[in-house]
Amino acid sequence: MPEALFWATNTDHAGVSVLEALRGVLAAFVFGQLLAFAYERTYTGVSYARGFAHTIVLTSLAASTFVMAIGRSLYAGLGLLGVLSIIRFRANLKAPRDLVFLLGSASTGVACGIDALPVAAVGTLSFALVAVYLHYSSFASQREYDGVLRFSLRAGDVRESMLPALLAKHCVRSTTLSVAELAQGAVVEFTYQIKLRPAGPAPLLSDLRAELDVHDARVLLEE
C-alpha cells in the first residue's frame, strides 16, 4: 500500500535529462512519420486531408512529451485530463490539428508546473519545429492522382488525336476513367484521373479549349 501511494503521488522527474528527452521526441517523430506514411498510402477515400496525416505526427510528439513529464505521477496525469476536458467542452474545435496543438500546450504546461523543465524545453521546441517542417515540406502530399478531368468534344473531331500529347504536356500521369456518348452520339464526354504538373489545372484547361475546342472542361481536385 505505501508503494502504491508513492507511485500515485511521485513527482520526481529529475531523472529525465535533456538527452533522454531528445531521444524520446526523436523516436516519436520517426515512428509518427511511419504511421502517417502508412495512413497516406493505404487511404482509399475521396476526401484525403494532408493535415490529418500531419496531426498523426504531432500527436506522437505531444504524447511523448506528456508521458515524460508526468512520469509515474497519477496526480499530474489527472490534472492534464482535467485541463483537456475543460478545453473540449468550452472550445468549438473544427479540426483535429487544433486539438493536438492544445494537447501540446497542455503537456508543456504540465511539464513546467511539475518542474520537468528539460522535458518542457525539448518537447516545446521539437513540437514547434516539426509543425513548421510539416507545413512547408511536401510530406504526406504525394498522392497518385490530384483529381478528375472532365470535358466534351464533338464526335469524329480529327483533333481528338492531339489529346494524348496535350495531356502528357500538362500531367505527370493520366488514366482514362470513362468515354461516353451524349446528345445521341453527337458529343463524346471524356473523364480522366490526372496527376497535374506544378503549373496546376489552369494551363491544361486553357489549352484544351484553345487547341481542341472542348466544351464544359473542368477539373475536380481531391483537396
Side-chain angles (χ1 to χ4, degrees), residues 33-46:
Q33 280 197 311
L34 288 175
L35 290 173
F37 177 79
Y39 167 78
E40 177 201 358
R41 293 301 175 183
T42 57
Y43 189 87
T44 57
V46 295

Side-chain angles (χ1 to χ4, degrees), residues 10 29 42 72 137 161 163 177 183 188 208:
N10 175 41
F29 173 64
T42 57
R72 295 183 299 171
S137 73
S161 60
L163 186 56
L177 293 181
V188 180
L208 283 172

